[in-house]
Amino acid sequence: MTEYATDSIELTLVPVDGTDSVALDRLTGALACELRSLRLDSVERWFPSRSGPGAEGGSAVLTDVGKLSVGGLLPGSGVKAMVGLVQSWLRRNEQDSVILRMGGDHVEITGSPTRRSHQLLKDFYRRHGGDGC
């Protein structure tokens, strides 16, 4: 089993097509609020990064990426609890997916997992100290 050392988990919301930056900001905040119910050490929002020539005095464009950083989550059952919460949140909010990153490893979480995505989650749990169930 490969261990990936990390002290935080990064979550990236992949919104449905046509989601504007205001809606993305609201959705990211709502997901952060629900994640706090897991009693984590921290849930921090990463605001969209600026791209383009903004740093040189030109106009800047905000990228449409909603990111969260979660700290203090224990491997195994804690990750499973977070995945379950995210899946439920995705279904209720009619969103596509969230990419979960731990160290150099990642998995995409969907609200309605397919057999393939379920297997990818089981493999992810095994790599991070869970039993894969």
Side-chain angles (χ1 to χ4, degrees):
M1 170 174 47
T2 304
E3 291 294 326
Y4 294 88
T6 184
D7 59 353
S8 68
I9 295 173
E10 177 186 311
L11 298 170
T12 304
L13 175 60
V14 181
V16 296
D17 287 338
T19 303
D20 64 22
S21 60
V22 172
L24 180 59
D25 181 54
R26 181 186 54 76
L27 288 164
T28 305
L31 179 56
C33 186
E34 288 198 30
L35 286 167
R36 288 184 183 103
S37 72
L38 294 176
R39 293 184 275 161
L40 305 164
D41 288 346
S42 66
V43 177
E44 298 178 22
R45 293 179 63 182
W46 294 9
F47 291 95
S49 61
R50 294 190 178 273
S51 62
E56 291 84 34
S59 62
V61 177
L62 293 177
T63 59
D64 288 336
V65 177
K67 289 190 177 185
L68 299 168
S69 178
V70 176
L73 188 69
L74 299 175
S77 62
V79 174
K80 287 180 188 181
M82 183 171 61
V83 167
L85 183 146
V86 169
Q87 286 174 324
S88 175
W89 182 89
L90 285 165
R91 284 189 297 272
R92 283 184 292 145
N93 289 278
E94 299 177 354
Q95 291 300 303
D96 282 342
S97 64
V98 168
I99 298 172
L100 185 150
R101 291 188 188 282
M102 290 179 70
D105 196 10
H106 73 279
V107 66
E108 188 166 9
I109 305 165
T110 62
S112 300
T114 62
R115 191 176 303 189
R116 172 76 176 134
S117 63
H118 182 69
Q119 184 60 49
L120 290 172
L121 277 170
K122 286 175 66 173
D123 294 344
F124 186 83
Y125 296 147
R126 280 191 201 106
R127 291 191 302 270
H128 294 281
D131 60 7
C133 296

